[in-house]
Amino acid sequence: MDMIWLSIYPTGNIKRDGQNHVSIYLVLMDPSSSLDWEVNAIVNFSVYNFLNDKYVITQDATRRHFNALKTEWGLPKFIDLDIVNDPSNGYQIHDTYAFGVEVFVGKTMNKGDCLSMIHGPVTHYHSWKFDNFSIARSDMYESISKLILYPNGVVEGKGISISLFLTVEVSTLPLNENIFGITNVSKIR
């Protein structure tokens, strides 16, 4: 089962010089596969601005290469904490923040290949309200729609991040399927 993991460090990934910022990373993993897999993707992170009613998106068309030895890519200084935590800037409403990621996956690319983006993707929504987050006792929670939440992080981010996985059964997806995900996170302090 492939896993797409959006890891958010609410007060910054200090190990990667992200202090005083929200750090955000995308991790692609296939725990059941061999070491010879590779995914080439364009990854854009976003944060929703409630005042302007739009997502502020990183616009980077650089292809990121993921494989068994390099499963993660992200931004240690995605957004300054002073900016995101100031309600007058519009990034929070009722202590809720909305972070997202767009992932445009292409085949293994060689010189001369190109990656085209799909406009107007089919959207499916799932809301998972997690009450009493601050007193969550379990290491992991799973929703009906295959969202997996680690309230205190997992692996490298254990104890310093919130980790959210979207699990995908690859065998059920059509060939060259693209995945787009938006994550809302509350109480980042």
Side-chain angles (χ1 to χ4, degrees):
M1 175 186 302
D2 289 344
M3 294 174 71
I4 300 171
W5 169 14
L6 182 62
S7 184
I8 299 168
Y9 293 70
T11 56
N13 183 351
I14 296 173
K15 290 181 183 177
R16 297 199 179 148
D17 198 29
Q19 60 274 6
N20 301 317
H21 289 78
V22 173
S23 302
I24 191 167
Y25 297 88
L26 179 72
V27 181
L28 301 179
M29 294 192 301
D30 185 353
S32 63
S33 76
S34 64
L35 295 176
D36 63 348
W37 65 274
E38 179 180 289
V39 173
N40 294 294
I42 294 174
V43 179
N44 290 314
F45 296 107
S46 61
V47 61
Y48 188 70
N49 187 298
F50 293 95
L51 288 177
N52 298 328
D53 192 27
K54 68 178 182 178
Y55 280 92
V56 178
I57 301 173
T58 58
Q59 294 294 322
D60 185 357
T62 305
R63 290 184 306 223
R64 306 295 170 188
H65 305 284
F66 297 87
N67 57 47
L69 300 175
K70 182 162 177 36
T71 59
E72 175 184 271
W73 183 82
L75 302 170
K77 293 185 177 181
F78 175 60
I79 189 166
D80 188 285
L81 281 177
D82 291 335
I83 292 171
V84 78
N85 285 330
D86 182 346
S88 69
N89 290 327
Y91 294 104
Q92 67 165 295
I93 187 165
H94 307 296
D95 283 329
T96 298
Y97 307 77
F99 295 96
V101 62
E102 290 178 307
V103 182
F104 300 96
V105 179
K107 62 180 183 166
T108 301
M109 295 175 202
N110 300 312
K111 191 173 183 176
D113 289 339
C114 69
L115 177 69
S116 36
M117 294 188 187
I118 296 175
H119 298 283
V122 175
T123 50
H124 300 278
Y125 295 95
H126 172 74
S127 291
W128 182 23
K129 185 176 180 186
F130 195 100
D131 292 323
N132 300 316
F133 182 82
S134 61
I135 59 170
R137 299 286 182 241
S138 293
D139 287 336
M140 181 198 76
Y141 297 89
E142 185 172 355
S143 76
I144 326 168
S145 64
K146 299 300 181 188
L147 291 173
I148 300 174
L149 172 72
Y150 292 85
N152 295 307
V154 68
V155 191
E156 185 180 304
K158 188 151 183 81
I160 57 173
S161 74
I162 300 166
S163 300
L164 182 66
F165 289 88
L166 170 62
T167 59
V168 177
E169 185 58 51
V170 174
S171 63
T172 64
L173 295 176
L175 188 61
N176 296 322
E177 182 75 14
N178 294 315
I179 299 172
F180 171 79
I182 297 291
T183 303
N184 291 324
V185 179
S186 296
K187 295 280 188 182
I188 297 196
R189 293 198 193 216

